[in-house]
Amino acid sequence: MSPIEEVIINKKSNINPIWIMRQAGRYLPEFREIRKKNTDFIRLCLNPDLSKEITLQPIKRFGFDAAVIFSDILMVPYGIGQEVKFIKNFGPKLGDLNLINLDKISEDSFTKNLSPVYKLLESLKKSPEMVNKDLIGFVGAPWTLLVYMINKVSPKNGLKENFFENGNIINKTLNILDTIIKLHIKNQVNAGATIIQIFDSWAGLVDYEFNKYLYNPTKSLVDYTKNLGVPVICFPRNIKDYPEFCKIVKPDMINIDYNVDPKLIIDKINIPVQGGLDPKVLLTDKNNMKKKVLEYLTIFKNHPYVFNLGHGILPETEIDMVQELVKTVREFK
Ligand code: 1CP
């Protein structure tokens, strides 16, 4: 059994497992090299040879316990036929979503559109670097995908004023997302994913109707994934009440963000915990980073814990700091 599965299933492992959100990406010079020559991000995600190489880059360099496939949560809107573009120094930009298109989506065409992603998993599964490591497939949670599909740009500066105006489109999109995200989960599991992580990066934007937008849609995916026999990790970033989320949604493991005080949360959450450290700590110095890493490891010493960050690693992070981070986690007893 892999170290992460040991933590999830047996509640302990002989080593302190570690992987990092967004570990296959822009802080790695070898990634930037490939990215320079491949300006179309979606095409890069749909190139199984290059996306395999990118997925394995952080495994080869740092020996993490899991590989997270090089793909994106916005491959789902792409797969159902909404235009998705990634614009340099701006971020994602999506095309219009219309109800007629949503009605026409077929499961077969979705699976066909994303078949390179499933090929990537099949090929990683056979790769020698992956022995005794987890292969993490992932999806965006319905709320976060709804946000991108309707807002059409990142909501980092807030949701558009008319976001909630068309209740019919919102309800219909949430319904379709439930079906299509489940299909994407099933396809990833069939192709070899050993864990599924659900990213709800914009969960913190919901202040009311938690059941409608966060708990019910995510629980539906969690139950579905558990039924496939694969552990499921949830990351409802910046959600107001992590303990309540865990009680209602019941994932196999919860990834906390860096605004959560680990000392305050530990007694209130009785499932395995992942993550927490502020990625900005990796931009400081080694001594400070070590101190902060040891704080997390000490607090979670007697709680099933997988080391990770409280959000994705920042592009300006130095390789040296990641190396030191892995060393600190591995040496902690
Ligand atoms: O070179 C580039 O400019 C591309 C940068 C990049 C990368 C490397 C994007 C654009 N996506 C990815 C890969 C990616 N995205 C992975 C696989 C690699 C890995 O994790 O190691 C994963 C798991 C994601 C997930 C993802 N995409 C999330 C959830 C996690 C999070 O960070 O909150 C989100 C919100 C996205 C959307 C997205 N993809 C990329 C951008 C610039 C954005 C928008 C972010 C925003 O709205 O501000």
Side-chain angles (χ1 to χ4, degrees):
M1 203 187 285
S2 74
I4 298 177
E5 280 165 283
E6 277 177 9
V7 168
I8 295 176
I9 296 160
N10 298 337
K11 314 288 184 236
K12 59 173 195 290
S13 158
N14 291 334
I15 62 168
N16 302 317
I18 175 170
W19 68 281
I20 287 185
M21 288 191 285
R22 311 295 286 264
Q23 66 190 20
R26 287 175 295 180
Y27 70 107
L28 285 176
E30 57 270 38
F31 169 75
R32 288 198 297 265
E33 200 52 43
I34 294 180
R35 182 73 170 100
K36 229 174 27 202
K37 294 187 223 123
N38 295 271
T39 48
D40 184 331
F41 181 74
I42 297 264
R43 274 184 60 187
L44 183 55
C45 289
L46 294 175
N47 178 328
D49 293 329
L50 286 178
S51 53
K52 180 181 176 188
E53 190 178 331
I54 295 169
T55 302
L56 291 174
Q57 283 172 347
I59 307 300
K60 291 179 182 157
R61 231 189 222 275
F62 307 113
F64 291 127
D65 294 300
V68 53
I69 57 164
F70 183 74
S71 181
D72 199 86
I73 62 166
L74 299 180
M75 295 310 283
V76 163
Y78 168 83
I80 58 184
Q82 188 174 10
E83 189 187 23
V84 180
K85 282 189 189 150
F86 288 87
I87 298 168
K88 206 173 170 183
N89 303 325
F90 176 79
K93 194 161 173 26
L94 283 76
D96 287 339
L97 176 71
N98 73 52
L99 281 177
I100 298 152
N101 283 352
L102 282 187
D103 277 335
K104 281 194 298 203
I105 298 153
S106 93
E107 298 201 6
D108 285 349
S109 64
F110 176 85
T111 298
K112 194 160 156 257
N113 290 345
L114 294 199
S115 63
V117 177
Y118 312 132
K119 260 198 211 128
L120 163 68
L121 279 154
E122 283 164 9
S123 152
L124 283 164
K125 191 81 193 158
K126 292 185 220 132
S127 134
E129 289 90 346
M130 291 306 299
V131 173
N132 204 29
K133 293 193 191 292
D134 277 296
L135 188 48
I136 302 185
F138 65 87
V139 293
W143 163 253
T144 285
L145 289 185
L146 180 79
V147 163
Y148 283 107
M149 289 167 81
I150 294 196
N151 209 57
K152 296 191 283 183
V153 293
S154 171
K156 59 186 173 211
N157 301 318
L159 289 172
K160 288 185 176 156
E161 239 168 67
N162 61 355
F163 183 87
F164 290 101
E165 202 169 70
N166 191 335
N168 190 24
I169 290 217
I170 288 190
N171 293 337
K172 202 155 183 171
T173 308
L174 281 174
N175 264 333
I176 285 164
L177 283 172
D178 182 66
T179 308
I180 294 294
I181 298 172
K182 282 176 182 165
L183 176 64
H184 192 37
I185 291 175
K186 184 179 77 183
N187 289 341
Q188 291 184 73
V189 169
N190 286 345
T194 58
I195 294 179
I196 294 292
Q197 176 144 335
I198 302 175
F199 287 97
D200 211 349
S201 304
W202 298 106
L205 294 178
V206 177
D207 321 301
Y208 69 107
E209 295 201 90
F210 295 102
N211 283 325
K212 173 173 178 178
Y213 293 115
L214 302 180
Y215 298 157
N216 294 343
T218 308
K219 186 168 183 343
S220 173
L221 302 182
V222 164
D223 289 347
Y224 180 82
T225 312
K226 285 181 173 175
N227 273 330
L228 296 175
V230 166
V232 53
I233 308 171
C234 284
F235 180 37
R237 187 169 73 93
N238 280 347
I239 200 173
K240 311 281 180 283
D241 192 338
Y242 271 93
E244 181 177 83
F245 177 92
C246 292
K247 267 185 215 118
I248 296 174
V249 176
K250 298 190 178 69
D252 293 295
M253 181 152 76
I254 185 86
N255 196 117
I256 54 173
D257 66 72
Y258 57 85
N259 292 315
V260 171
D261 182 339
K263 282 199 220 77
L264 293 182
I265 208 105
I266 185 149
D267 296 330
K268 297 191 187 138
I269 291 183
N270 61 4
I271 59 171
V273 172
Q274 172 174 279
L277 183 76
D278 188 341
K280 287 192 283 303
V281 169
L282 276 68
L283 306 182
T284 63
D285 60 85
K286 286 185 181 165
N287 280 340
N288 179 57
M289 177 179 73
K290 219 168 155 169
K291 196 177 112 214
K292 296 277 192 296
V293 170
L294 292 175
E295 272 171 29
Y296 275 92
L297 291 168
T298 308
I299 291 168
F300 289 104
K301 195 164 172 34
N302 296 312
H303 190 105
Y305 185 63
V306 171
F307 194 90
N308 202 320
L309 303 178
H311 198 193
I313 185 165
L314 295 162
E316 53 272 45
T317 309
E318 283 174 21
I319 301 294
D320 243 23
M321 295 295 274
V322 184
Q323 235 132 25
E324 185 72 15
L325 170 74
V326 175
K327 188 163 166 269
T328 309
V329 173
R330 293 293 192 211
E331 286 174 358
F332 179 79
K333 284 218 166 55

